[in-house]
Amino acid sequence: MSKAGALDLASGLGGKIDKTEVLSAVEKYEKYHVCYGGEEEARKSNYTDMVNKYYDLVTSFYEYGWGESFHFAPRWKGESLRESIKRHEHFLALQLGLKPGQKVLDVGCGIGGPLRRIARFSLASITGLNNNEYQITRGKELNRTVGVDKTCNFVKYGCYKEIYRVLKPGQYFAAYEWCMTYAFDPNNQEHQKIKAEIEIGDGLPDIRLTGKCLEALKQAGFEVIWENDLAVDSPQPWYLPLDTSRISFSSFRLTAVGRFFTKNMVKALEFVGLAPPGSQRVQDFLEKAAEGLVEGGKREIFTPMYFFLARKPLSESQ
């Protein structure tokens, strides 16, 4: 997990955005979303601007509270969050059959936590694909710190069709997607509220149903080897780290007390000028996201672990 502290959080807030412009960036980002009267079409048509603002604003919070790997994982009883994330990243490497010297693409790599762990586990050379300049800069810095900068790198990227284009025939693509499940009812106002909270707090223009994700893969040309919502069979609820009713010493920053402490720390840092104006607003919509994620998980209408293993066919006829 990341060792980022209060000063790291303060210095990283806003990412590549000028510190004097963070508050206006927060306001513009909020206006894209349903909670503030925004429309889905506006989010999609301004996708790059919306997503880049989001990751510039929240990355230091993610690293401070969650660590370097920005994802959930199925979790065994008695297993810590950190252990479950590490095991899950090793599971992904094994599913792909990674071997020393192989070249791998990590799509949507964040600041490269999984990339670094999988590179050290498999000895593969991994390129992280990302569309946010601040996360790329931060990822390169962390690569140098742990000594994988010779075999791991970052570049900007596209999506499924672009991934299909760059893969050689017979090569594999494995991923986790955040999706609404078929328990989601678009006519249920409470379900729509939960979906909107997750969208604003996680920089998403929309959240597709699992079936739509599968359909997009096939339309791009992939052969789907297997797919499953790994949240369904997880011995421990995936949203447990965000549930404020629980107590955890290993993930203290994510507990109700830890989040209360962080909230007041950010308020103090902003007051004395170490954190830019607007920092508290960022934490507010992240708190909203956490509430939406927990409710979405409890109602089983949302999953952050829709897994698939797909392959580019050996020939066009396949």
Side-chain angles (χ1 to χ4, degrees):
M1 298 285 271
S2 174
K3 295 181 180 178
L7 292 180
D8 298 302
L9 173 62
S11 63
L13 276 166
K16 292 285 185 179
I17 300 171
D18 187 282
K19 302 305 180 187
T20 62
E21 298 176 2
V22 169
L23 181 56
S24 62
V26 172
E27 291 170 344
K28 186 173 181 182
Y29 173 76
E30 288 174 338
K31 287 175 182 176
Y32 280 126
H33 290 275
V34 173
C35 303
Y36 294 86
E39 299 289 339
E40 182 183 325
E41 284 308 310
R43 293 195 296 278
K44 288 182 175 179
S45 61
N46 295 282
Y47 177 79
T48 300
D49 179 66
M50 185 198 77
V51 170
N52 272 300
K53 277 186 171 57
Y54 174 78
Y55 284 113
D56 277 338
L57 292 169
V58 307
T59 295
S60 59
F61 274 107
Y62 272 28
E63 193 176 349
Y64 176 81
W66 200 261
E68 294 175 20
S69 295
F70 302 163
H71 65 84
F72 292 90
R75 191 170 164 189
W76 297 104
K77 290 183 178 179
E79 188 176 44
S80 70
L81 174 63
R82 181 178 183 174
E83 289 166 343
S84 70
I85 285 175
K86 181 178 180 179
R87 175 178 53 78
H88 209 45
E89 290 167 357
H90 289 177
F91 162 81
L92 182 58
L94 293 170
Q95 285 295 309
L96 288 168
L98 300 185
K99 296 179 177 63
Q102 283 187 322
K103 293 183 178 180
V104 182
L105 296 178
D106 179 1
V107 184
C109 60
I111 59 172
L115 175 157
R116 285 182 287 279
R117 184 168 284 137
I118 290 173
R120 286 179 287 181
F121 176 71
S122 66
L123 301 181
S125 297
I126 305 180
T127 298
L129 305 182
N130 197 325
N131 62 0
N132 180 262
E133 197 62 46
Y134 173 69
Q135 289 198 338
I136 289 174
T137 301
R138 179 64 177 146
K140 287 180 177 179
E141 179 186 338
L142 292 169
N143 280 1
R144 287 192 294 272
T145 300
V146 299
V148 298
D149 52 308
K150 303 299 183 188
T151 57
C152 298
N153 197 15
F154 296 83
V155 295
K156 290 197 171 185
Y157 81 104
C159 57
Y160 285 176
K161 288 184 179 178
E162 182 65 11
I163 295 164
Y164 182 87
R165 185 187 69 79
V166 301
L167 288 178
K168 294 178 181 178
Q171 290 187 322
Y172 290 89
F173 171 38
Y176 300 95
E177 288 282 7
W178 285 33
C179 296
M180 304 311 295
T181 71
Y182 280 104
F184 172 73
D185 179 2
N187 297 313
N188 184 312
Q189 288 190 342
E190 191 60 29
H191 286 194
Q192 285 286 10
K193 176 176 176 291
I194 291 168
K195 179 173 178 283
E197 288 175 343
I198 297 171
E199 286 169 349
I200 187 173
D202 294 286
L204 302 170
D206 188 28
I207 308 175
R208 295 183 290 191
L209 288 168
T210 52
K212 291 292 183 182
C213 180
L214 193 60
E215 186 180 309
L217 268 175
K218 292 177 179 177
Q219 286 178 350
F222 283 104
E223 168 196 358
V224 179
I225 306 300
W226 74 279
E227 49 83 27
N228 191 28
D229 179 3
L230 299 185
V232 173
D233 298 319
S234 177
Q236 293 275 61
W238 61 265
Y239 53 83
L240 196 63
L242 296 174
D243 190 343
T244 54
S245 65
R246 96 212 202 303
I247 297 174
S248 171
F249 294 107
S250 62
S251 303
F252 174 75
R253 291 176 179 177
L254 297 173
T255 63
V257 176
R259 278 148 69 172
F260 176 79
F261 173 80
T262 301
K263 183 179 180 70
N264 284 282
M265 179 185 70
V266 171
K267 185 177 180 180
L269 289 169
E270 188 172 327
F271 178 77
V272 299
L274 290 176
S279 298
Q280 293 179 75
R281 293 268 287 274
V282 176
Q283 188 178 20
D284 287 343
F285 65 67
L286 288 174
E287 283 290 339
K288 191 182 292 290
E291 292 166 9
L293 287 166
V294 172
E295 281 303 306
K298 286 181 176 179
R299 297 178 187 228
E300 299 182 345
I301 63 172
F302 169 81
T303 176
M305 292 189 294
Y306 178 62
F307 174 83
F308 59 77
L309 177 65
R311 184 181 73 155
K312 183 172 182 175
L314 291 170
S315 66
E316 291 298 325
S317 60
Q318 284 187 298

